[in-house]
Structure formats: structure tokens, C-alpha cells
């Protein structure tokens, strides 16, 4: 060991070295671009290694669809959904 602290952020699976802001923007863009999905009431945040989706969806199946879209950006297993259906 050289005596330098390890920088582990670049190897974080799913994030691929992107900043939190860039990751959030990419997921938000993907959610809004989905033609079969309304993402107007979803907030995207990051906590540690996980992307968090919070807010409301309108139709049955939209929670799963939102998570699927987000996982397409950050990787499977790195998305936590806190979404409710109205």
C-alpha cells in the first residue's frame, strides 16, 4: 500500500463513475422519455450506492415500469422504489 486513501467511486457498479447529478439527470430523462409512462410526480435521489425513486404513479404496473427504466440506466439491483399509486 502506498499510503494513499483508496478511491472507490470509479468502480461502483451501476454508476460507472458518473456524478450524482449526472446519474439523476440520466434517470429523469429516461423516465420522461418513456412514451408509456407518466413521470411527472416522481423524484429521483441518490443515497450511497442506490438510486431512490419517490412519489406517485397513476396506473397499475407503473411502479415496476419506473424501476425497470431506472435500472436500465444504473443497473439491476441499484434502484429502490418508494412509489405509491394514486
Amino acid at each position: 500500500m502506498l499510503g494513499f486513501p483508496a478511491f472507490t467511486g470509479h468502480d461502483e457498479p451501476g454508476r460507472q463513475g458518473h456524478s450524482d447529478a449526472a446519474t439523476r439527470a440520466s434517470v429523469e430523462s429516461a423516465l420522461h422519455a418513456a412514451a408509456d409512462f407518466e413521470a411527472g410526480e416522481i423524484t429521483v435521489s441518490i443515497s450511497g450506492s442506490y438510486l431512490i425513486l419517490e412519489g406517485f404513479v397513476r396506473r397499475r404496473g407503473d411502479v415496476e415500469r419506473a424501476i425497470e427504466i431506472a435500472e436500465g440506466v444504473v443497473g439491476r439491483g441499484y434502484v429502490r422504489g418508494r412509489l405509491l399509486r394514486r
Side-chain angles (χ1 to χ4, degrees):
M1 181 162 147
L2 300 173
F4 298 106
F7 176 72
T8 58
H10 66 282
D11 286 332
E12 203 170 308
R15 299 282 298 284
Q16 301 165 2
H18 294 129
S19 71
D20 287 353
T23 301
R24 278 193 315 271
S26 294
V27 171
E28 288 169 351
S29 292
L31 288 170
H32 288 288
D36 63 337
F37 183 77
E38 175 58 47
E41 295 186 70
I42 296 177
T43 302
V44 178
S45 61
I46 293 176
S47 178
S49 298
Y50 296 97
L51 183 109
I52 311 296
L53 300 176
E54 297 177 295
F56 300 95
V57 295
R58 301 209 181 271
R59 296 178 304 195
R60 184 181 313 241
D62 281 353
V63 171
E64 293 81 9
R65 180 70 175 125
I67 291 170
E68 176 184 300
I69 292 167
E71 285 181 338
V73 176
V74 300
R76 187 172 204 94
Y78 291 95
V79 178
R80 297 294 179 251
R82 298 178 183 161
L83 298 166
L84 300 172
R85 191 174 71 116
R86 284 192 184 199

